[in-house]
Amino acid sequence: MKKILVGNWKMNLVSLEAESFFASMPINREITIGIAAPATLLRGLRDHADRLGILLGAQNMHENKAGPYTGEISAAHLLDAGADFVILGHSERRVLFHETNDQVEKKVESAVVEGLSFVLCVGETREQDEEGVGDEVVTHQIRSALSSLTEPNLKGAMVAYEPVWAIGAGQPATADQIEEKHQLIRDELIKLFGEEGKNVPILYGGSVNADNLEEILQIPNVDGALVGGASLDPQTFNEMIEITGESS
Ligand code: 13P
């Protein structure tokens, strides 16, 4: 499997900044690159993404296809705007916008029905980690979010382990912590989907930067990285593309 580097821009960058970012990005076919941009930028970035051969993603969507949900955007809208994938269940959605496992499950189902790939984010909070229930939380998040899927729907599915306490913290989880949780996720995917569960990429996210990426990519069952803050600077991100390429 090619190593994967996905930037999650969160609520940052406007179109001029995004276009100059894409203009400076190198073409690299050794790895899979994705950028999850604000939904308003997707259409404008589509041609650039095609030229670079990268995946374009959104960061959230509503679980229903259409209807009276003022301000919301569905999988159909994201596809229409040019998205290849969507991030679902990011902890900022869960914590700040009270998104539940039930909603995440519905979103996963809707993305699959519409033909939109997804990155499912899972991860425990600091409190859950301290209470010793981190494994349980992550296992439950995986099981509930993917409960409606069968093996053929797994194409294009990715999971990202993002411990909530490591996001934006400047310090990622330790190699041991990452290895342990990625193994747990891999075991769960195999329980759910048999052999096919081995082919679902598992990304690590949480304070990944150009200095720690190489070490993180060496950890067993780490197929790539989901990068927040460090994905906003084109030079840094380009450096991370190079590092990911060298780790492949
Ligand atoms: P940081 O890389 O800024 O810690 O954010 C990680 C993240 O939330 C990616 O989805």
Side-chain angles (χ1 to χ4, degrees):
M1 174 191 314
K2 283 187 188 175
K3 290 276 186 208
I4 300 164
L5 182 68
V6 178
N8 174 9
W9 283 356
K10 307 190 180 182
M11 198 173 72
N12 293 293
L13 305 191
V14 293
S15 54
L16 274 180
E17 294 164 317
E19 280 179 28
S20 86
F21 188 110
F22 272 48
S24 79
M25 206 188 286
I27 293 178
N28 185 321
R29 309 241 180 242
E30 289 168 294
I31 65 170
T32 302
I33 302 169
I35 291 285
T40 51
L41 301 184
L42 294 174
R43 189 178 285 285
L45 293 176
R46 186 64 260 174
D47 286 349
H48 292 282
D50 287 341
R51 176 180 60 78
L52 294 164
I54 73 168
L55 301 174
L56 197 56
Q59 305 166 11
N60 178 42
M61 58 175 238
H62 193 270
E63 57 268 35
N64 289 340
K65 185 172 179 170
Y69 305 100
T70 302
E72 293 293 320
I73 291 180
S74 72
H77 289 109
L78 296 181
L79 284 165
D80 186 46
D84 300 300
F85 73 95
V86 60
I87 293 176
L88 295 176
H90 191 282
S91 66
E92 284 154 14
R93 301 292 321 165
R94 294 179 192 261
V95 173
L96 303 174
F97 302 97
H98 315 293
E99 222 171 87
T100 63
N101 280 325
D102 274 359
Q103 269 175 299
V104 177
E105 180 202 339
K106 291 197 178 96
K107 290 181 184 202
V108 165
E109 202 176 343
S110 171
V112 168
V113 167
E114 295 299 320
L116 187 62
S117 296
F118 64 88
V119 178
L120 167 69
C121 293
V122 299
E124 76 287 358
T125 62
R126 169 73 70 203
E127 295 72 39
Q128 290 163 337
D129 184 45
E130 284 169 0
E131 282 165 28
V133 295
D135 284 6
E136 233 170 278
V137 167
V138 168
T139 305
H140 182 62
Q141 286 173 334
I142 296 267
R143 273 193 212 160
S144 68
L146 302 180
S147 61
S148 62
L149 299 198
T150 53
E151 289 80 354
N153 306 137
L154 280 180
K155 200 173 166 300
M158 296 184 233
V159 173
Y161 170 58
E162 298 205 307
V164 181
W165 45 271
I167 294 177
Q171 183 73 38
T174 66
D176 285 348
Q177 287 169 320
I178 297 173
E179 181 170 355
E180 187 251 319
K181 284 291 190 300
H182 279 238
Q183 184 66 58
L184 177 85
I185 293 168
R186 177 65 69 213
D187 291 345
E188 204 48 45
L189 290 169
I190 292 171
K191 267 185 226 160
L192 288 171
F193 305 110
E195 281 296 298
E196 283 301 316
K198 292 184 181 166
N199 300 326
V200 177
I202 308 173
L203 315 182
Y204 169 77
S207 298
V208 180
N209 59 39
D211 295 329
N212 56 36
L213 177 62
E214 188 182 351
E215 187 192 339
I216 289 170
L217 291 175
Q218 303 308 319
I219 300 170
N221 284 307
V222 173
D223 302 305
L226 181 55
V227 185
S231 74
L232 294 174
D233 174 58
Q235 246 174 311
T236 307
F237 195 69
N238 290 348
E239 203 184 320
M240 294 174 92
I241 291 174
E242 207 173 305
I243 294 166
T244 308
E246 284 161 6
S247 308
S248 296

